[in-house]
Amino acid sequence: MDKIILKLNGENTIEVKKGTILADIVKQNYKNHKLPVVLAKVNGKYKELTETINENGDFEIIDISTNIGMRTYIRTLQFVLIKAVLDLYPEAKITIEHSLSKGLFGEIEKNTTLSYEDIENIKIKMKEIINKDLPIKKVSVSKDEAIKIFEKYNMEDKIRLLKHVSLQKINLYELDGRYDYFYGSMAYSTGVLKYFDLMFYYPGFILRYPSEENPEIIPEFVEYKKLFKIFYETEQWGNILKVADVGSLNDKVENGDIINIIHVAEALHEKKIAYIADMIYERKSSQLVLIAGPSSSGKTTFARRLGIQLRVNGLYPIPISLDDYFVDREHTPKDENGNYDFESIYALDLELFNKHINALLKGEEVEIPTFNFKKGMREWNGQKIKLPKNGILIVEGIHGLNEMLTSAIPKENKFKIYISALTQLNLDNHNRIATTDVRIIRRMVRDYLSRGYSGEETLKMWPSIRRGEEKNIFVFQEQADVMFNSTLVYELCVLKKYAIEELSKIKEDSPVYYEALRLKSFLNFFKEVSTEYVPSNSILREFIGGSVFYKY
């Protein structure tokens, strides 16, 4: 019988039979490994542990201290949750909706209203399934057969999704007789799920798990009431548009109704922006509007559209750029790696910024600086501004919600807005679309079309961008007076063409190849929509060009 020689994690060499299941190699050689192992890497390629070994080479384990490992762990945990719910309540409908407080919020629709006791029973059932260490099998079936399975389950969301898929073979996962479709890899057995929690959170639940940074600890629960409220608002928008998932969105593209969807989605944005402008106007003490949000949220377009609505209310908006208040390069703080940390709040001249804002609010004329990014220093070009009667200052930047930025300005004079692309559209009820995926696709398209960066460069930068957001933005989001969700239900249909073009250029030897592959696979679920249907004042124009507000 053929023998395979493997080098384990670049150290010990072992010999196994050709065709050995990868899970058996892990069990025999990594008994003392502390963290759950969910995947393997064979000669640089990620493999599910249900696969077999058929070539000599390097063998590495992938545990939950990695991004791809944690994604796999969470996906497997979702499958166990779904299985537990349907074992207890066979007619229930489970929807995994969005992230919330380092977990996933979802809802369970059943004959009686979901209660705290129901969630406790589901958690007990999940532990029972995990303790049985049940195998999770990957099975390949025809598209027609998959649709029949989901028709039997009465899962219309999955039927809609698969109807538009061009593949004739579909990979399903099976757990103790229950079949489901999941977008992404899966662990080989329920027994790897060592760490999780499930809590009741009206009107649904939060499925909780560790982070890749602290893979053995369930993080402390922090309530985000304002964030939850904006997700709920977006769910209502989805109901208005009658687009709950990608399958129903593709139906709209196919039957030509997508143009109406675009008009209504844009109108919902305009209505919310007008509502925010009314809030600012009604709070007579507001003289400084601070707009903050993570990368690719559409802050610039939002600020311009808000300015128009403020003008409608008789206010005169004056924009101030935080970028002009960077300290000279030599004074910029450095991160733990010795690189300039431009996202640190201390990269800004806080004293000068507060001095100028205070002077402007008192009606004084101020000469504001301009930052020369090529020279890395501040310049004074005689640019003077004064706040006119009914004037209001608009400041957009990542630190807008942090009180430290405007410590010298009285709170009653400030109005804070948090903006992000908080998608509520999912592939189907069990496969959510992460907010960060929408933003990275926006960023990639904009970087490629207007900033000269390749998709590969953007993907390589993204982890650093995310770390900065965690430190400088997300921790302050609940301090906002109001939140604005900049997502547009149709946007991925428009962005798809540009994003796939860039993602397809990324070679197999790139460190971001598998992330590119994941994003490309996910985008392929969407039908394309032409850019010609996107209004010129849309937030989406900030990323694809053609905006009326600025040169792209």
Side-chain angles (χ1 to χ4, degrees):
M1 194 173 286
D2 292 339
K3 296 285 186 182
I4 298 288
I5 297 170
L6 296 174
K7 196 168 189 181
L8 305 182
N9 287 63
E11 296 175 356
N12 301 336
T13 299
I14 63 165
E15 196 176 83
V16 298
K17 290 178 183 177
K18 188 175 183 178
T20 299
I21 295 170
L22 301 184
D24 290 339
I25 297 172
V26 172
K27 287 173 186 174
Q28 290 162 17
N29 296 279
Y30 295 92
K31 291 174 184 174
N32 298 323
H33 193 78
K34 203 173 179 184
L35 297 176
V37 177
V38 290
L39 298 170
K41 209 173 186 182
V42 180
N43 292 329
K45 294 182 179 179
Y46 289 101
K47 304 278 185 182
E48 289 182 306
L49 296 181
T50 50
E51 294 184 49
T52 56
I53 192 77
N54 292 296
E55 59 181 345
N56 297 328
D58 295 321
F59 184 95
E60 296 176 60
I61 54 169
I62 305 298
D63 63 28
I64 61 171
S65 65
T66 64
N67 183 266
I68 193 169
M70 184 54 77
R71 284 178 189 266
T72 303
Y73 184 88
I74 295 167
R75 197 175 296 113
T76 310
L77 197 55
Q78 286 175 235
F79 196 7
V80 170
L81 167 68
I82 292 160
K83 170 68 175 162
V85 171
L86 293 173
D87 278 357
L88 292 170
Y89 315 103
E91 301 305 314
K93 176 183 169 186
I94 311 105
T95 310
I96 309 289
E97 297 183 15
H98 54 77
S99 60
L100 191 69
S101 187
K102 307 294 183 184
L104 288 177
F105 173 80
E107 294 185 70
I108 298 169
E109 188 182 307
K110 58 187 187 68
N111 295 331
T112 57
T113 304
L114 188 72
S115 66
Y116 174 86
E117 289 73 24
D118 291 330
I119 292 300
E120 288 301 301
N121 290 335
I122 293 166
K123 184 157 71 169
I124 291 166
K125 188 68 178 176
M126 286 178 72
K127 287 178 179 177
E128 183 185 308
I129 293 167
I130 291 166
N131 291 337
K132 285 181 179 176
D133 196 16
L134 298 170
I136 299 171
K137 298 168 189 169
K138 191 178 196 174
V139 292
S140 182
V141 300
S142 70
K143 185 165 86 168
D144 288 344
E145 194 178 341
I147 288 172
K148 283 177 186 173
I149 289 170
F150 295 124
E151 281 176 342
K152 184 182 171 185
Y153 290 165
N154 198 27
M155 290 182 170
E156 293 179 6
D157 55 307
K158 291 191 185 288
I159 296 165
R160 279 193 299 269
L161 183 71
L162 294 177
K163 188 176 71 176
H164 294 287
V165 171
S166 58
L167 299 172
Q168 291 311 304
K169 285 286 185 181
I170 305 293
N171 289 325
L172 302 181
Y173 290 96
E174 183 263 328
L175 170 57
D176 195 27
R178 163 63 59 172
Y179 291 88
D180 210 332
Y181 172 77
F182 287 95
Y183 158 66
S185 52
M186 189 72 67
Y188 69 99
S189 168
T190 62
V192 302
L193 302 172
K194 293 182 181 179
Y195 316 107
F196 87 96
D197 191 18
L198 187 72
M199 61 177 282
F200 179 70
Y201 192 83
Y202 181 82
F205 62 85
I206 297 179
L207 179 62
R208 308 188 64 231
Y209 40 79
S211 66
E212 58 201 79
E213 295 80 17
N214 293 293
E216 296 176 272
I217 299 167
I218 305 293
E220 181 187 351
F221 175 71
V222 179
E223 193 163 23
Y224 294 101
K225 288 184 178 179
K226 291 177 182 175
L227 187 64
F228 183 74
K229 185 180 175 184
I230 204 74
F231 270 122
Y232 179 74
E233 176 187 82
T234 310
E235 186 180 346
Q236 301 310 109
W237 287 5
N239 293 338
I240 291 166
L241 294 164
K242 291 184 168 53
V243 177
D245 49 54
V246 173
S248 54
L249 178 63
N250 286 336
D251 285 344
K252 304 286 186 187
V253 176
E254 207 166 69
N255 65 25
D257 196 34
I258 191 65
I259 297 169
N260 290 325
I261 294 297
I262 291 170
H263 291 159
V264 178
E266 295 289 350
L268 286 165
H269 265 191
E270 196 61 38
K271 188 172 184 179
K272 182 64 184 281
I273 293 168
Y275 166 72
I276 293 170
D278 289 346
M279 286 178 70
I280 294 167
Y281 176 76
E282 286 162 12
R283 191 193 292 182
K284 301 297 182 185
S285 61
S286 296
Q287 294 178 287
L288 173 62
V289 175
L290 296 149
I291 302 167
S295 174
S296 305
S297 294
K299 295 184 288 291
T300 305
T301 303
F302 171 80
R304 298 292 180 88
R305 285 172 67 173
L306 178 66
I308 291 169
Q309 291 292 345
L310 290 170
R311 290 289 297 271
V312 170
N313 285 344
L315 299 175
Y316 193 88
I318 301 291
I320 299 277
S321 174
L322 271 181
D323 286 356
D324 289 328
Y325 286 88
F326 274 123
V327 296
D328 289 348
R329 188 74 37 85
E330 62 196 72
H331 301 304
T332 303
K334 294 184 178 180
D335 62 18
E336 62 276 10
N337 300 316
N339 300 317
Y340 287 122
D341 186 359
F342 296 110
E343 293 190 333
S344 167
I345 196 165
Y346 298 109
L348 299 170
D349 189 333
L350 299 176
E351 185 180 348
L352 182 67
F353 178 74
N354 276 268
K355 180 182 173 185
H356 281 183
I357 297 295
N358 252 324
L360 286 166
L361 294 181
K362 289 174 184 173
E364 298 172 16
E365 186 178 70
V366 170
E367 181 184 356
I368 60 171
T370 300
F371 194 81
N372 187 320
F373 284 90
K374 287 184 179 177
K375 293 180 181 178
M377 60 188 297
R378 184 186 302 153
E379 293 177 342
W380 301 90
N381 301 317
Q383 185 183 353
K384 295 181 180 181
I385 60 170
K386 186 177 181 180
L387 201 60
K389 185 182 178 183
N390 294 333
I392 188 162
L393 296 172
I394 309 285
V395 176
E396 171 236 309
I398 66 169
H399 299 292
L401 304 183
N402 187 343
E403 268 300 306
M404 193 181 290
L405 175 71
T406 52
S407 57
I409 316 307
K411 284 189 177 182
E412 61 269 18
N413 294 143
K414 294 180 280 196
F415 190 95
K416 295 180 179 180
I417 303 169
Y418 176 73
I419 173 174
S420 189
L422 303 165
T423 184
Q424 193 67 347
L425 179 76
N426 286 344
L427 290 179
D428 60 35
N429 287 343
H430 300 164
N431 289 274
R432 75 186 189 95
I433 296 172
T435 288
T436 187
D437 283 348
V438 176
R439 291 194 296 108
I440 197 171
I441 289 163
R442 282 181 171 188
R443 172 79 180 241
M444 187 191 312
V445 171
R446 183 178 61 190
D447 284 354
Y448 159 57
L449 291 177
S450 71
R451 298 182 177 180
Y453 292 114
S454 68
E456 183 174 24
E457 288 173 302
T458 302
L459 286 184
K460 284 178 178 176
M461 287 190 294
W462 194 249
S464 172
I465 292 167
R466 288 280 295 157
R467 284 193 295 273
E469 292 169 349
E470 289 283 349
K471 188 164 63 174
N472 298 309
I473 300 172
F474 298 144
V475 289
F476 301 110
Q477 61 192 16
E478 287 291 308
Q479 294 180 23
D481 292 291
V482 69
M483 290 187 175
F484 178 79
N485 188 353
S486 71
T487 195
L488 288 157
V489 73
Y490 70 91
E491 67 179 271
L492 290 171
C493 296
V494 175
L495 295 168
K496 173 185 176 178
K497 176 180 70 174
Y498 303 108
I500 284 185
E501 186 178 332
E502 273 305 286
L503 292 166
S504 297
K505 296 175 186 174
I506 299 173
K507 306 294 184 191
E508 205 169 330
D509 59 354
S510 169
V512 293
Y513 173 73
Y514 280 94
E515 179 67 354
L517 210 61
R518 183 185 72 81
L519 290 171
K520 204 159 65 167
S521 301
F522 145 67
L523 283 167
N524 276 324
F525 286 105
F526 292 82
K527 287 191 171 294
E528 285 186 27
V529 169
S530 172
T531 58
E532 67 181 286
Y533 300 120
V534 182
S536 58
N537 70 338
S538 172
I539 277 174
L540 191 50
R541 286 286 175 190
E542 190 169 320
F543 307 98
I544 61 172
S547 174
V548 294
F549 294 119
Y550 50 84
K551 288 182 180 179
Y552 188 70

